Amino acid sequence: MTDNSSRRDFLKVSAVAGVAMSLGASGEQAHARRGKRLPYGANAKRLETVRIGFVGIGGMGGAHFRNLLRIPGAEIRAICDIKESKIKRALNWVAKAGKPTPEVYDRGETDFERMCERDDLDLVFNATPWQFHVPICLAAMKNGKHAATEVPAALTRKDSWKLVDMAEKTGLYCVMMENCCYCRPELMVLNMVRQGVLGEVMHAECGYMHDLRGVKFSRGGEGLWRRDFATKIKGNFYPTHGLGPVAQCMNINRGDCFDYLVSMSTPSRGLQDYASRLKPDDPRRNEKYIQGDVNSSLIKTKKGYTIVLQHDCNLPRPYSRINIVQGTKGIFQGYPDRVFIEGRSPGHKWEEADKYYPEFEHPLWTKHGPTGKGFGHGSMDYIEDYRLIEALRTETLPDMDVYDAASWSCIVEMSQISLENKSRPVDFPDFTRGKWKTNKPLGIIGA
Amino acid sequence: MTDNSSRRDFLKVSAVAGVAMSLGASGEQAHARRGKRLPYGANAKRLETVRIGFVGIGGMGGAHFRNLLRIPGAEIRAICDIKESKIKRALNWVAKAGKPTPEVYDRGETDFERMCERDDLDLVFNATPWQFHVPICLAAMKNGKHAATEVPAALTRKDSWKLVDMAEKTGLYCVMMENCCYCRPELMVLNMVRQGVLGEVMHAECGYMHDLRGVKFSRGGEGLWRRDFATKIKGNFYPTHGLGPVAQCMNINRGDCFDYLVSMSTPSRGLQDYASRLKPDDPRRNEKYIQGDVNSSLIKTKKGYTIVLQHDCNLPRPYSRINIVQGTKGIFQGYPDRVFIEGRSPGHKWEEADKYYPEFEHPLWTKHGPTGKGFGHGSMDYIEDYRLIEALRTETLPDMDVYDAASWSCIVEMSQISLENKSRPVDFPDFTRGKWKTNKPLGIIGA
């Protein structure tokens, strides 16, 4: 049995049955409202060394893994993957770094459960296919470990609630690793917003526009599983890359809260067109994709501000996350990065964002940008991992919490419900249970 | 009585009472469905000379007026304005051009009616404040003249239907002069779409993002009336500039049709902030604006394609109409103008649009671009006016028809209804009464 077919079987059997979207239910009713709840992270203790179990050491997992090997205070005690080649590669990295050999968990797709039962781990970090994120995070917290997961943390509101409930039941952290929150321009914008340079933030635009046809049809890596979601999910199944940074600028869950969303998709053409160019006997030619090529959503916040969110990964186009943050005094727009500030920029003219780095470079980038170079997506993956370990070692709240993970991720389901219902509004759950009204905004993190 | 106060009085008395939006009614029920209907333009005759009555010779009117003075076959027979200074200026332009002096209609705001009753006019062209567009077009057609109007043609679905009904009753043209359809990049995109370079057009984005605070608070011109709409209309009251060109690329009313729209606005801050900086005794400080600063709408077409449409004119920001046209084979994006074509552009990288002009420059621009330079918004206003006169002189359909005017304009009302109802979908009227299914797409116009 090839890796490919075993992965695909899993998708058919386990994920679709267990983790697939229950589109009718909002999840609000289903999640456990009763039972003891703790303040988020109440059981987090200051850790000298963060002992880590790592699940899924593929493309993105490998990047995190190598970062963790060189972040002070991080210690990888256990690793878990279904592919021998990935395990070997990881052990090789460990050996080269001169670190102790971690224990290996390679007995199939649920072996992470056995790993989570160890008593010498503080954190379970996973970078697995999307359907594993929730089960692994739940297993980690249930067994007393903090959880960190790649994006999206969950695919439905119900599963998002499960993460919130488990985090509040255990008092542990559940962090979605949204690396784009640590990208250089995004960090500068956050810094500018915190300093009031853009005024009252009224509107933002963001998205994930990335021609992934080659990746989705590759014979390895994400090609083994990512394309399959396009046969099952119509909506925006990858909302967090663009959304995370602007949600931080807009104080989502910390002074404001997503209220409702409307969503609309184009027909599905890109993947079908691509498949039609494969060899005549390629079985992928028979796959039927339902995901609209371009998905556009509008999000309203409780305070009335707006966000345009897009997903566009199946058509030929250059990369963009849009990255517009617009306030009453100025605006930042990405791709290319540019700034306009009233009374400072020349009349009606953009300035190159580069001009503003000397004044508004984010302190995290000043400190870690040079160190992280060459380690995954510029330095942002390194800074992201560094910040997580730093939070655990200093007993401070990680920059992103389980409420962020839940509210940024549940759009996967919500966008689909809206677009299947003539773009009617779909309400966000308030995962903070009203705490967004009193939670303090994220500061200039790391400063 | 100053010009200012007389205009403002009119707005209060006439416009709001008579032309204001009836948000509850769709207009579908209200418009006259009975009565004889003619094919659009059935009574258009080939004209050697197009005899024109011109209403509203202010900023934009002055640009059209001067274009018409030098377009072959156009003859201005009558002019109408409420301001003596504008009449004088126009007569001066006429004299300088060595043309016969037109008759003057200056007996107040409804004197256009008297002008429309003349029996020596073929076309009544108006560039007046928005609330006059429908009454003037109706008076023109009722009196046997073709009508041309500045944008938006109407502010409600009901009024849009009135234009359609009158055009079909009389067999005359009613053309909304959307100059952006003749802008150089927009024309090149249309040419590329017609040649199939972008593949099947799936998605477009457009808008009117223009910091007009200075204009809206000026003591003359549009400052006398435009700001007032922001105290009465919440939605996107200026939708056509960005939308017109992409609607042409997407065959709206000619193979496809707008189906429904959802809309969302930010709070209203920009104009209030601006007013608060005025002198303490300025009465404009007491105006209350209700228009959301950034309005974002999603439009679905009958064939399932999507459009993002925005309006953003009250905050400090550089100009943009966005201008994205995305197909299965490539994408054009404006501001700055760039192109990506699969198999031609380098992998995942934009190319500057300028590179494509030698191959895809629109023939209208090749022919008229140099002539029109320096006459309003580059050459696009000139080409726009030229094309209208050319159509009337050659007995061909103008590039934009009354169905375009109606469907592009009625978004003013529809966006407001949606945003006041939690962004719920609002159905577009099918102003073509099903003819969009058989109407042929606009070709490479003028080629």
Side-chain angles (χ1 to χ4, degrees):
Chain A
M1 193 160 71
T2 65
D3 284 329
N4 190 352
S5 66
S6 86
R7 289 258 187 182
R8 295 293 302 278
D9 285 350
F10 176 85
L11 277 175
K12 282 178 197 150
V13 180
S14 161
V16 178
V19 197
M21 303 191 300
S22 54
L23 290 180
S26 75
E28 297 252 24
Q29 299 79 29
H31 84 101
R33 288 188 174 281
R34 284 176 299 243
K36 197 178 156 194
R37 282 200 296 268
L38 298 172
Y40 182 65
N43 280 328
K45 300 280 180 295
R46 181 185 298 261
L47 302 167
E48 189 61 34
T49 302
V50 180
R51 299 163 304 172
I52 303 165
F54 203 100
V55 192
I57 324 165
M60 196 61 215
H64 288 299
F65 193 89
R66 282 174 292 166
N67 288 337
L68 293 169
L69 281 177
R70 63 190 185 131
I71 289 172
E75 185 182 315
I76 295 169
R77 288 273 178 117
I79 61 176
C80 175
D81 203 292
I82 58 166
K83 293 190 78 171
E84 197 186 334
S85 61
K86 302 299 181 197
I87 294 279
K88 269 190 181 166
R89 188 176 65 155
L91 290 175
N92 198 33
W93 286 329
V94 173
K96 275 191 180 159
K99 300 286 173 96
T101 305
E103 191 159 333
V104 169
Y105 292 80
D106 57 359
R107 299 182 193 165
E109 281 151 349
T110 56
D111 209 23
F112 64 83
E113 291 172 355
R114 199 166 56 93
M115 191 192 81
C116 288
E117 289 164 6
R118 288 171 68 104
D119 59 6
D120 65 341
L121 298 179
D122 304 303
L123 169 69
V124 172
F125 194 129
N126 95 80
T128 57
W130 305 336
Q131 68 275 17
F132 293 93
H133 293 176
V134 171
I136 295 171
C137 288
L138 294 178
M141 289 185 279
K142 194 176 151 193
N143 285 284
K145 282 87 178 164
H146 299 299
T149 179
E150 255 303 327
V151 302
L155 301 173
T156 64
R157 288 171 293 180
K158 190 174 172 183
D159 272 359
S160 296
W161 270 121
K162 283 184 189 169
L163 297 179
V164 169
D165 284 337
M166 184 63 88
E168 293 184 342
K169 186 178 169 188
T170 60
L172 294 162
Y173 293 137
C174 178
V175 177
M176 182 174 72
M177 302 301 288
E178 181 38 75
N179 57 351
C180 298
C181 291
Y182 299 92
C183 193
R184 191 181 182 206
E186 279 85 342
L187 279 176
M188 179 167 77
V189 176
L190 178 65
N191 194 10
M192 292 171 93
V193 168
R194 289 290 167 256
Q195 295 195 38
V197 177
L198 301 184
E200 178 184 354
V201 177
M202 304 288 285
H203 177 74
E205 303 192 20
C206 54
Y208 189 57
M209 353 279 282
H210 192 179
D211 177 2
L212 289 172
R213 293 171 304 158
V215 169
K216 289 179 179 177
F217 280 94
S218 71
R219 290 295 194 179
E222 296 187 356
L224 304 180
W225 55 270
R226 191 166 180 153
R227 191 177 69 259
D228 202 57
F229 283 101
T231 68
K232 298 186 175 69
I233 299 180
K234 283 185 185 173
N236 179 350
F237 60 41
Y238 209 65
T240 70
H241 274 347
L243 186 62
V246 305
Q248 290 186 333
C249 286
M250 295 175 82
N251 301 330
I252 300 305
N253 300 323
R254 298 174 176 83
D256 200 354
C257 186
F258 294 146
D259 190 0
Y260 60 90
L261 160 158
V262 292
S263 191
M264 194 178 280
S265 278
T266 68
S268 183
R269 295 280 189 278
L271 298 181
Q272 218 76 57
D273 282 358
Y274 199 90
S276 71
R277 297 178 215 161
L278 299 172
K279 288 181 183 166
D281 61 344
D282 193 309
R284 295 176 295 178
R285 289 172 65 107
N286 301 319
E287 292 176 353
K288 297 289 174 216
Y289 310 104
I290 61 170
Q291 188 184 42
D293 289 336
V294 183
N295 174 269
S296 305
S297 301
L298 306 177
I299 298 172
K300 186 85 168 170
T301 77
K302 298 271 192 194
K303 291 202 163 173
Y305 306 121
T306 58
I307 301 170
V308 174
L309 169 67
Q310 297 194 296
H311 182 269
D312 173 4
C313 297
N314 302 335
L315 292 175
R317 63 156 301 143
Y319 185 93
S320 172
R321 294 194 302 272
I322 311 177
N323 201 20
I324 293 175
V325 178
Q326 182 172 19
T328 51
K329 294 181 182 171
I331 177 170
F332 182 98
Q333 178 164 353
Y335 305 89
D337 293 339
R338 55 206 123 149
V339 173
F340 179 84
I341 299 171
E342 184 164 37
R344 179 166 173 159
S345 304
H348 297 257
K349 295 253 186 276
W350 289 109
E351 297 179 282
E352 285 183 23
D354 281 351
K355 191 184 149 182
Y356 284 86
Y357 282 112
E359 191 173 352
F360 296 107
E361 181 86 270
H362 193 284
L364 277 181
W365 196 270
T366 308
K367 189 173 172 190
H368 300 292
T371 321
K373 258 192 187 139
F375 281 79
H377 300 109
S379 301
M380 70 188 189
D381 298 348
Y382 177 80
I383 298 177
E384 170 188 42
D385 294 329
Y386 185 94
R387 283 291 293 170
L388 173 64
I389 300 303
E390 187 182 41
L392 294 168
R393 295 182 77 203
T394 56
E395 210 175 321
T396 51
L397 281 169
D399 306 325
M400 301 174 284
D401 61 25
V402 75
Y403 309 105
D404 298 326
S407 55
W408 302 355
S409 298
C410 67
I411 288 168
V412 176
E413 180 193 42
M414 290 173 61
S415 62
Q416 175 150 338
I417 293 172
S418 177
L419 71 88
E420 285 187 328
N421 288 279
K422 203 178 172 178
S423 306
R424 285 190 174 78
V426 179
D427 290 336
F428 278 87
D430 174 7
F431 294 107
T432 73
R433 298 182 171 95
K435 289 204 198 80
W436 65 268
K437 295 171 196 165
T438 49
N439 286 342
K440 285 187 182 156
L442 199 64
I444 300 171
I445 53 176
Chain B
M1 193 158 71
T2 66
D3 285 329
N4 190 352
S5 67
S6 86
R7 289 256 186 183
R8 295 294 301 278
D9 284 350
F10 176 84
L11 278 174
K12 281 180 198 149
V13 180
S14 160
V16 178
V19 196
M21 303 193 297
S22 55
L23 290 179
S26 75
E28 298 253 24
Q29 297 79 31
H31 84 101
R33 290 189 173 282
R34 284 176 300 241
K36 197 178 157 194
R37 282 200 296 268
L38 298 171
Y40 182 65
N43 280 329
K45 300 280 180 296
R46 181 185 297 262
L47 303 168
E48 189 61 35
T49 301
V50 181
R51 299 164 302 172
I52 302 165
F54 203 102
V55 193
I57 326 165
M60 196 60 214
H64 288 299
F65 192 89
R66 281 174 293 166
N67 288 337
L68 292 169
L69 280 177
R70 64 190 185 132
I71 289 171
E75 186 181 316
I76 295 169
R77 288 273 178 116
I79 61 176
C80 176
D81 203 292
I82 58 166
K83 293 189 79 170
E84 197 187 333
S85 61
K86 302 299 180 196
I87 295 279
K88 269 190 181 168
R89 187 176 66 155
L91 290 175
N92 198 33
W93 286 328
V94 173
K96 275 191 180 160
K99 301 286 175 96
T101 305
E103 191 158 333
V104 169
Y105 292 80
D106 58 357
R107 299 185 194 162
E109 282 150 347
T110 55
D111 209 22
F112 63 84
E113 290 172 355
R114 197 166 58 94
M115 191 191 80
C116 289
E117 288 164 8
R118 288 172 68 104
D119 59 5
D120 65 342
L121 298 179
D122 304 302
L123 169 70
V124 173
F125 194 129
N126 95 80
T128 56
W130 307 336
Q131 68 275 16
F132 292 94
H133 293 176
V134 171
I136 295 171
C137 288
L138 293 178
M141 290 186 279
K142 194 176 152 195
N143 285 285
K145 282 86 179 163
H146 299 299
T149 179
E150 256 301 329
V151 302
L155 301 173
T156 65
R157 288 171 294 180
K158 191 174 172 184
D159 273 358
S160 296
W161 270 121
K162 283 184 190 169
L163 297 179
V164 170
D165 284 337
M166 184 64 86
E168 293 184 342
K169 186 178 169 189
T170 60
L172 294 162
Y173 293 138
C174 178
V175 178
M176 181 175 71
M177 302 301 287
E178 181 37 76
N179 57 351
C180 298
C181 292
Y182 299 92
C183 193
R184 191 182 182 204
E186 278 84 343
L187 279 175
M188 179 167 77
V189 176
L190 179 65
N191 194 10
M192 293 173 92
V193 168
R194 290 289 167 258
Q195 296 196 38
V197 177
L198 302 183
E200 178 185 354
V201 176
M202 306 287 284
H203 178 73
E205 304 191 20
C206 53
Y208 189 57
M209 355 277 284
H210 192 178
D211 176 2
L212 288 173
R213 294 172 302 159
V215 169
K216 289 179 181 177
F217 280 94
S218 71
R219 290 295 194 179
E222 297 188 356
L224 302 181
W225 56 271
R226 191 166 180 154
R227 191 178 69 259
D228 202 56
F229 283 101
T231 68
K232 299 187 174 68
I233 299 180
K234 283 185 185 174
N236 178 349
F237 61 41
Y238 209 65
T240 71
H241 274 347
L243 186 62
V246 306
Q248 290 186 334
C249 287
M250 295 175 83
N251 301 330
I252 299 306
N253 300 323
R254 298 173 175 83
D256 201 354
C257 187
F258 293 146
D259 190 0
Y260 61 90
L261 159 157
V262 292
S263 191
M264 194 177 280
S265 278
T266 67
S268 184
R269 296 280 190 276
L271 297 182
Q272 217 76 58
D273 283 358
Y274 199 89
S276 72
R277 297 177 215 161
L278 299 172
K279 288 182 184 164
D281 61 344
D282 194 309
R284 295 176 295 178
R285 289 173 64 109
N286 301 319
E287 293 175 352
K288 296 290 172 214
Y289 310 104
I290 62 170
Q291 187 184 41
D293 289 335
V294 184
N295 174 268
S296 305
S297 301
L298 306 177
I299 298 172
K300 187 86 168 168
T301 77
K302 299 272 192 194
K303 291 203 163 173
Y305 306 120
T306 58
I307 300 170
V308 174
L309 169 66
Q310 297 193 295
H311 182 270
D312 173 4
C313 297
N314 301 336
L315 292 175
R317 62 157 301 144
Y319 185 93
S320 172
R321 295 194 301 270
I322 310 178
N323 201 22
I324 293 175
V325 178
Q326 181 172 20
T328 51
K329 294 180 181 171
I331 177 169
F332 181 97
Q333 179 165 352
Y335 304 90
D337 294 339
R338 56 206 124 147
V339 173
F340 180 85
I341 300 171
E342 184 164 38
R344 179 165 174 159
S345 303
H348 297 256
K349 294 254 186 277
W350 289 109
E351 297 180 283
E352 285 183 24
D354 280 350
K355 192 184 149 183
Y356 284 86
Y357 281 112
E359 190 173 353
F360 295 107
E361 181 85 271
H362 193 283
L364 277 181
W365 196 270
T366 308
K367 189 172 171 192
H368 300 292
T371 321
K373 258 189 189 142
F375 280 80
H377 299 110
S379 301
M380 69 189 191
D381 297 348
Y382 177 80
I383 298 176
E384 170 187 43
D385 294 328
Y386 185 94
R387 283 292 292 169
L388 174 65
I389 300 303
E390 187 181 40
L392 293 169
R393 296 183 75 203
T394 56
E395 209 176 322
T396 50
L397 282 169
D399 306 324
M400 301 174 284
D401 62 25
V402 75
Y403 311 105
D404 298 326
S407 55
W408 303 354
S409 299
C410 68
I411 288 167
V412 176
E413 180 192 43
M414 291 174 61
S415 62
Q416 174 151 338
I417 293 173
S418 178
L419 71 88
E420 285 187 327
N421 288 279
K422 203 179 171 179
S423 306
R424 286 189 173 79
V426 178
D427 290 337
F428 278 86
D430 173 8
F431 293 106
T432 74
R433 299 182 170 96
K435 290 207 196 79
W436 65 268
K437 295 170 194 165
T438 48
N439 286 343
K440 286 186 183 158
L442 199 65
I444 300 173
I445 53 176

